[in-house]
Amino acid sequence: MTAPSKIVCVGRNYVAHAREMGNDVPKEPLLFLKPSSSIIREGQPIVLHPVSDHIEFEGEIAVVLGARLSKAGSEAEARAAIGGIVALNDVTARDLQKNDGQWARAKGMDTFCPLGVPGAVPDDLDGIELITRVNGEVAQRATGADMVFKIPFLLQYISQYLTLEAGDIVATGTPAGTKRINPGDVVEVELVGISRVSNPVVAG
């Protein structure tokens, strides 16, 4: 799988997660980027970089663009550009996220984007079920219906500002339940029946 030109991420897109972080839900989608250099695949280790004392998992439903999308005129046009659905873990150095004021270090370090193999696009995007497990125990569970801003709207919105190229990835936010990870943990993000990615955690 070729590396995307960019990974566009959406913050605070689930009400309960925004609240657990002490934040309000934004009035418009909150966007940030992760570099393609942060991507790892199934079985590769998440490295706990020593610059941070508090690193957490964030399981997410992500979209792979199947076609170029720029200034989409409708949600239907945006939806038609989806090429696949993929499990993604938006690993985050929570202390750096709070201290830096922007999230390039906190979310962009090497190994901070475990990414599964894309699966087929279901007819019902709201019905996509996300389950995150740590050492086999369920830590997060949500569906696309729980999002504040739904997938077609997000793609249309993003395309007004950033041209999305075929192969680019849009991560749609994480639900409540994020927790600190430690060496020896195994984190699995599953989109039931579609995609999954599982990664061990190691010290840096």
Side-chain angles (χ1 to χ4, degrees), residues 7 10 22 36 41 70 101-102 158 174 199:
I7 306 162
V10 180
S36 58
R41 304 294 182 177
S70 179
Q102 50 74 34
I158 292 166
T174 197
N199 304 87

Side-chain angles (χ1 to χ4, degrees), residues 63-70 77-84 155 159 163-169:
V63 172
V64 181
L65 274 292
R68 191 172 189 266
L69 189 67
S70 179
E77 179 185 348
R79 194 194 192 292
I82 301 174
L155 295 178
S159 77
T163 295
L164 295 167
E165 303 288 353
D168 282 355
I169 293 169

